[in-house]
Amino acid sequence: MFLSRLRLPSSEIQSTLTCNGQSAMSGGCGRNPPPFPDNEDQEAELDTQVLDSDDDDDEGEDIFTGARSKPITPTSAPDEGDIFSEEGSYVRSDVHHATNGLHSDEELDLFTEATVELTLTNTTSQGRREIIGPTASACNTTRVPNSILKPSIVTKTMEELEEEESGDQFELNIAVTNPEKIGDGMNAYMSYKVSTQTTLPMFLNKTFSVRRRFSDFLGLYEKISAKHSLLGCIIPPPPQKSVVGMTKVKVGKEDSSSAEFVEKRRAALERYLQRVVAHPSLLQDPDVREFLERDELPRAVNTQALSGPGLLKMINRASDAVNKMTIKMNESDNWFESKLQEVENEEQLLRRLHAAVDSLVNHRKELCSNTVVFSKSVAMLGSVEENSALSRALSQLAEVEDKMEQLHQQQAFSDFFILAELLADYVRLLGAVRCCFEQRMKVWQRLQEAQSTLQKKREAEAKLLWANKPEKLQQAKDDINEWESKVSQYERDFERVTCTVRKEMLRFEKEKARDFKQHIVKYLESLLHTQHRLVKCWEAFLPEAKAIA
Amino acid sequence: MTSISEDSDKEKVRSVSVDLNNDASLVIDIPDALCERDKVKFTVHTKTTLSSFQKPEFSVPRQHEEFIWLHDTIVETEEYAGLIIPPAPPKPDFEGPREKMHKLGEGESSMTKEEYAKMKQELEAEYLAVFKKTVQVHEVFLQRFSSHPIFRKDRNFQIFLEYDQDLSVRRKNAKEMFGGFFKNMVKSADEVLISGVKEVDEFFEQEKTFLLDYSSKIKDATAKAEKMTRSHKNVADDYNHISGALNSTAADNNTAFKKTISVCVLQKLEDRVASDQELKLTELLRYYTRDIQAAKDLLYRRARALADNENSNKALDKARLKGKDIAQAEENQKQCLQKFDKLSESGKKELTSFKARRVVAFRKNLIEMTELEIKHAKVRRLKSNNTLYGSKLSIFLLCQKSLGY
C-alpha cells in the first residue's frame, strides 16, 4: 500500500521535452514547450523548478549515444522539495550502460518505495519525437487554466529503452505556440508559431521558429499525401477545418468559446506535426523540412474547400469510393484482410467512445455551472441564517462548492484534452490507415489491369502469328515487351507497397499502444489530483460543520 | 413490486430531523413498505406504554392518502392553531426512474446484453433510493407528531396509528378541491396581511422578517441543489456508458483499454457520491423548505388572530358607542383576546424550539455529508492510485519485455 503525494505548485504538467544539455535549452520545463531562448521570460512566472539545470550537470555525455541521463521517474525521492533538485542528486551520468542500474532502480521504486511522487513528466527523449500534449501554450488569449496540465509521469526509462531498441540517435522537438490573430474582419487569420529544437544535421540551425497559418498545415498535408500515400505510408491527417469556429475568431468575439477553439486547434496542430516528424520517412521529406524552416511559405490556396483543386479532390474521393466497392481483391495474405477488419472495428469502437467522452465533457461543464449557482445560493442562505455558527458554516460550504466547481472545470479540461482529443485523433488516424490499405488495393488493381492488358497483347500477337501478318508482328512484340516491363514494374511496386504497409501497420500499432497508455496514465493522474484536492477541501470544511452549535 | 425491510441505512439517512424517537413511551417507525405500481403501502409500526392505546405494540398498513388525511385533519383543528404543524410528506414520485426504465427498454436493442443488464441494475438502485426516501419522509412525519407533547395525544393521530380497518379516506371531491384552492388564495392574502399588520411583540416581528427571507432563500437553494445533483448523476452515467462501450470490445488485445475500464469503473463511485449528496443536502433543504412554510403558517394564523382581535376591539367600541349588543361584543372581544394570547404564547415556544431543531439538523446533516464525501474521495483516490501504479508497472514491464530482459 502506498501513498501518493502530490507536488504542490509544481504539479503542473511538464508536457514536454527533453531538454538536452544545451544551455540554450535550459530553462523552465514549465508548462512551456522546449525552452526556447525567446521564451525565457516565461520562466519567471513558473514557480517550478528547473529541470534542466540539473540536466546540464548530467548531460556531460555525448548526445548521440541515446540514453538519456535523466529519467524523470517516480523515484525514491525525499518527500518535500523539488523533484528537480532530487533529479540532480540522482546520478545518471553513466547511463548508457546503466540500463541495468536503471531497472533495478525502477524496481526499487515501484516495489519497495512507499512514496510515489506524481509529477513532472518529461516525456520526450531523444529519438522519441512525440510530445505528449497538452502543452499549455504561452498564449495570452487563451483562458485555459494551467492546471489542465496535470502531472504526468511517463517513465523516461521507457523512452530510453526504446532508444536502445530503435537505435535512433537524434532528437527533434516541436511545439506550436503563440496563436496570434493577424488582420481584421473576414480576412483575418490565426498565425501560429512553430518552434523546432533539434540536433539533426539536416537542419540549418539547432533551434528555430517560423510562423504558420492553418492553411499552411493543410498544404503540407496535401504535399506529403501526394507523394507518400502512393507508397503505402500512413499519413497523419491534419486537424479539421471548422467554419463556425474560425468565423467566431475572425469576427473578433473575445469570449471563452473562441479562446477554447483556438487552444484546441493549437494543440491539434502540435500533435499533427509531432506525428508527422515521428514518421521516419516523412521526416526526410524536403517539404517537411521546408515547412519547419523556411521563413515565408507560398500561400497554399488549393486547400480551400470551394476552390478548383478542392472540387477536384471531392470528385476524386467520390470516384475512389465507387472503386472501392467494385474492387474485390484476391488476397493471398490473410494478414491484410484481418488487419483491415480489425481497423474497422476499432474505428467503430473509438467513435462510440469519443461520443461518450464528449457527452461526459459537456455534462461536466454543466455540473460546473450548476455548482457555481448552487454555491451562490448557499451563500445567500448563510447570510440570512440567524444562528451565527450555522451561518458561518453555510458560507464555508458555499466556498467549498466554489472550489469544487474549479476542480470540476479542471477535470473537464483534462477529460477533453487528454481523452476526447486522443480518441478523435485516432478515429482520423484509423481512417488514414484504411486509406493506406486502399492504396495497396489500388496498386494491386493496377497490376491486375496491366497483367490483363499484357495477356491481351499476347493474344493479339498469337492472332497475328496465326494470320501471318509479319509487318504488324514487330509492333505487337514491342507492345508485349512494353507491357511485360510494366507488369514487372507493377509487381515490384506491389511487393514494395505490401512491405511498406506491413511495416507501417506495425509501427502504427506500437505507437498507438504507447500513446494510449501514456494518455491513460496522464488521465489517471489528473483524476488522482482532483480527488486529492477534493479530499482536502472537504477535510477543511469538516471542523466548521462540527462547530455548529 | 418492491419491498424494503428493516434497514440500517435508514438510521444513517434520517438526519433531517433529529432525536425524534427518544421517548420510549411512544415509538413509531415504518419497518416495511410495499410498492405496487403507483401505490405505496406503508406498514406503520407502533410500540407504546401509554394507556390510551389498546395494545402495547401493533402495526397497521397505511397509504399516502391517509397520511394526508391526518395532516389536513390536524391543520383544521382549531386547538392547534398555535402550533407548528409538521408538513405533509410529498407524494411518492417514481416518475423519474420509471421514465428512465422506459427509455432503457426502448433502447435495449442498441446496446449489448451486459450494458443493458448494468443499466438496469443502476436504474433499480435509483428506484430503490427514491423508495427509501419516501419511506423516510413519511416516517419522520409521524415521528414529529409522536415526539410532540400535544400532538401525541390527539385522538385522530391515535386512530391513525391504531385503527386496523381501512380508514376509508375518500378522495377529495370537486368541492373540497376547490375549497383547498380557495384556501391557498386566502393564504396569499395572508402574506399581504402579515406584512401589513402592526406587530407589537418584538419577538414575532423578528421572526416574521427572518422567516420570510429565509423561506425564499431556502427554496432557491433547494432548487439549485437539485439541479446540481442531477448534473452529477449525468456525469456518472456517462462514465457508465464509457465503461460499457469498452467492455463490449471483443478484440481486447489492447490492454490500455482494460486500464481505462477500471478507471471508469472507479469513477462510478461518482454516482454513489451523487446519490449521497442528493440524499443528504438536498433532502435537508427540501424538508426545511416545507418546515419553514409550516412555521410561516403559524405566523399567519397568529396574524389573523391579531387582526380578529383588533376587529373585535373596534366592534366593541362601536357597540359601546351605539349602546347595543354590548354584551355580545364584549364576549367576542374576550374570546378573540384569549385566542390571540394563547396563540402568541404557544407560538413563541414553538418557534424557539423550531430554531434549535433546525440548527441541530443542519449540523448533523452537514457533518454526515462531509464525512461521506471525504470517505468516497479517499476511496477513489486510492483506486486511482492503484490503477495508476498498475498502468505504470505494465508500461515498465512492457519495456522490459521488448528489450528481452
Side-chain angles (χ1 to χ4, degrees), chain A residues 327-340:
Chain A
I327 294 181
K328 179 66 186 90
M329 186 155 166
N330 191 0
E331 187 62 77
S332 52
D333 191 348
N334 269 338
W335 187 88
F336 284 92
E337 215 168 288
S338 61
K339 260 305 156 192
L340 187 60

Side-chain angles (χ1 to χ4, degrees), chain B residues 372-390:
Chain B
L372 265 173
E373 289 266 6
I374 293 176
K375 179 174 115 184
H376 284 306
K378 279 189 172 159
V379 170
R380 284 204 300 273
R381 183 176 68 176
L382 185 64
K383 284 210 171 158
S384 287
N385 212 355
N386 285 344
T387 317
L388 186 63
Y389 175 77

Side-chain angles (χ1 to χ4, degrees), chain A residues 1-5 74 99-100 102-103 106-107 109-111 116-118 153-155 157-162 164-165 342 346 349-350 352-353 356-357 359-361 363-364 366-367 370-374 377-378 380-381 383-387 390 393-394 397 401 404 408 411 415 419 423 512-513 516-518 520-525 527-528 531-532 534-536 538-542 545-549, chain B residues 110-112 115 206-207 209-210 213-215 217-222 224-236 238-239 241-246 248-249 251 253-257 259-260 263-264 266-267 270 277 281 285 355 358-360 362-364 366-371 373-374 376-378 380-389 391-400 402-403 405:
Chain A
M1 174 86 119
F2 50 82
L3 308 163
S4 67
R5 183 110 20 69
T99 43
N100 280 329
L102 182 72
H103 287 182
E106 272 305 294
E107 279 167 350
D109 292 340
L110 294 181
F111 293 100
V116 173
E117 301 281 355
L118 304 185
I153 302 181
V154 173
T155 58
T157 57
M158 183 180 86
E159 312 296 351
E160 298 190 42
L161 300 183
E162 278 175 10
E164 293 202 358
E165 205 177 63
E342 246 178 65
E346 205 166 327
L349 172 67
L350 289 188
R352 271 178 71 193
L353 273 179
V357 173
S359 150
L360 173 67
V361 171
H363 281 141
R364 216 188 270 283
E366 210 178 277
L367 177 60
N370 284 341
T371 309
V372 153
V373 160
F374 174 66
S377 178
V378 170
M380 298 247 34
L381 189 64
S383 67
V384 180
E385 176 62 59
E386 34 176 29
N387 181 308
L390 182 54
L394 285 175
L397 180 64
E401 291 292 339
M404 300 280 288
H408 287 313
Q411 188 59 47
D415 287 345
L419 281 189
L423 291 168
K512 177 164 65 96
F516 268 84
K517 283 206 173 73
Q518 285 173 344
I520 284 169
V521 165
K522 245 199 306 185
Y523 186 68
L524 281 174
E525 285 172 353
L527 277 183
L528 199 51
Q531 298 313 326
H532 189 79
L534 226 138
V535 169
K536 286 260 146 40
W538 286 110
E539 280 179 343
F541 176 68
L542 191 56
K546 290 198 166 143
I548 302 175
Chain B
S110 67
M111 51 180 110
T112 65
E115 242 185 282
Q206 272 182 343
E207 279 304 298
T209 334
F210 169 69
D213 210 356
Y214 198 78
S215 144
K217 298 275 169 7
I218 201 173
K219 228 189 281 190
D220 186 58
T222 309
K224 305 282 161 52
E226 281 173 355
K227 264 178 89 176
M228 183 176 80
T229 50
R230 242 203 316 270
S231 310
H232 219 145
K233 250 221 158 77
N234 282 340
V235 168
D238 282 330
Y239 273 110
H241 286 138
I242 294 175
S243 66
L246 287 172
S248 63
T249 143
N253 47 8
N254 192 346
T255 57
F257 283 153
K259 293 290 176 326
T260 326
V263 165
C264 297
L266 86 86
Q267 276 303 112
E270 294 253 11
Q277 260 189 319
L281 192 56
L285 290 173
K355 261 199 252 271
R358 192 184 76 239
V359 170
V360 169
F362 265 81
R363 176 177 192 277
K364 179 157 184 274
L366 286 176
I367 292 178
E368 277 174 19
M369 178 184 80
T370 312
E371 284 173 347
E373 289 266 6
I374 293 176
H376 284 306
K378 279 189 172 159
R380 284 204 300 273
R381 183 176 68 176
L382 185 64
K383 284 210 171 158
S384 287
N385 212 355
N386 285 344
T387 317
L388 186 63
Y389 175 77
S391 299
K392 293 208 290 253
L393 181 58
S394 78
I395 292 175
F396 165 66
L397 289 175
L398 180 82
C399 297
Q400 260 201 322
S402 66
L403 285 184
Y405 280 101

